[in-house]
Amino acid sequence: AQSVAQPEDQVNVAEGNPLTVKCTYSVSGNPYLFWYVQYPNRGLQFLLKYITGDNLVKGSYGFEAEFNKSQTSFHLKKPSALVSDSALYFCAVKTGRRALTFGSGTRLQVQP
Amino acid sequence: NAGVTQTPKFQVLKTGQSMTLQCAQDMNHEYMSWYRQDPGMGLRLIHYSVGAGITDQGEVPNGYNVSRSTTEDFPLRLLSAAPSQTSVYFCASSYGTVGGRNTEAFFGQGTRLTVV
């Protein structure tokens, strides 16, 4: 079985400050981890993925995520938040030939 | 290159009616999936397919049928709509693996379904 937990329903941060959106996972075997973003009334857009290799993964729009195998985490980070980053963020995990399993989502609110 | 196309974008059904949500992709992706999105519950997997002629159940398959007769299309059928099926439905597709590595999924824009 595979599962993802996003412990925060909402994260509030001031524009220009660093942001972190948390994600932990549970799988049997090697995980493939993804972050997606959803803007209102839109589909999900891919941000970044961890497959193998460097634990720090860089993605679109200045976002990055750190894979931590011992803590089974894959937190999303950005050094300086923008108001336009306000959206719903989903962490997802996949193993082998299974489909993606998503977390419940975290709403990021960046205040001007 | 249209990506993943879902139709319709909006639909209202009466309880007991049946309908098919269409999903098509033009990227020659092996994997296709259907998810439903409900507030506070993220995206839950309904059915998925790893190739033409192959389908499997996800987390919440009851009340839904799928088939995959071609690589491009993966329709989702609601057999007898119920108010509990009111949701936003997303179709996704991906290559599955490239060079042994899993690839990201591409999503359609969603179908907002209301069952009254």
Side-chain angles (χ1 to χ4, degrees):
Chain A
Q2 54 189 40
S3 65
V4 176
Q6 294 182 242
E8 303 154 315
D9 289 338
Q10 181 156 327
V11 170
N12 297 308
V13 64
E15 188 174 31
N17 282 0
L19 69 87
T20 298
V21 182
K22 295 179 180 178
C23 170
T24 59
Y25 65 91
S26 175
V27 298
S28 301
N30 293 322
Y32 302 101
L33 294 153
F34 303 82
W35 276 101
Y36 286 84
V37 60
Q38 185 181 35
Y39 297 99
N41 300 314
R42 302 292 299 273
L44 276 73
Q45 297 177 32
F46 169 74
L47 274 181
L48 51 81
K49 64 184 177 186
Y50 171 82
I51 302 300
T52 187
D54 286 342
N55 290 340
L56 184 64
V57 178
K58 294 188 183 296
S60 307
Y61 313 121
F63 283 94
E64 58 189 29
E66 186 166 12
F67 172 64
N68 187 318
K69 188 172 183 177
S70 63
Q71 297 187 1
T72 62
S73 67
F74 190 56
H75 301 331
L76 181 70
K77 300 182 180 185
K78 187 174 182 181
S80 179
L82 300 172
V83 172
S84 57
D85 292 330
S86 299
L88 188 56
Y89 290 81
F90 290 98
C91 182
V93 70
K94 187 174 189 288
T95 56
R97 286 166 64 87
R98 293 172 177 266
L100 285 167
T101 295
F102 284 87
S104 56
T106 299
R107 187 164 300 281
L108 175 65
Q109 194 69 41
V110 181
Q111 285 107 15
Chain B
N1 191 338
V4 180
T5 302
Q6 288 184 238
T7 56
K9 288 187 171 51
F10 302 94
Q11 183 71 49
V12 179
L13 287 179
K14 294 182 179 180
T15 297
Q17 285 184 316
S18 62
M19 78 159 294
T20 299
L21 279 62
Q22 300 292 345
C23 176
Q25 53 91 8
D26 60 359
M27 297 173 280
N28 202 29
H29 284 168
E30 303 169 81
Y31 285 21
M32 296 186 75
S33 309
W34 276 102
Y35 293 86
R36 58 178 289 173
Q37 183 178 19
D38 302 293
M41 304 187 73
L43 280 81
R44 293 183 292 169
L45 181 66
I46 304 171
H47 286 285
Y48 67 101
S49 168
V50 298
I54 305 170
T55 63
D56 207 347
Q57 295 182 351
E59 182 183 355
V60 288
N62 292 340
Y64 308 94
N65 272 359
V66 291
S67 60
R68 184 98 180 268
S69 56
T70 67
T71 299
E72 295 79 16
D73 300 298
F74 192 45
L76 178 72
R77 297 183 189 85
L78 279 69
L79 309 173
S80 177
S84 61
Q85 294 177 304
T86 294
S87 188
V88 181
Y89 291 83
F90 288 100
C91 179
S93 74
S94 73
Y95 284 114
T97 60
V98 175
R101 298 182 175 189
N102 276 280
T103 66
E104 64 272 24
F106 294 81
F107 283 79
Q109 292 299 295
T111 295
R112 188 174 294 273
L113 176 68
T114 302
V115 183
V116 297

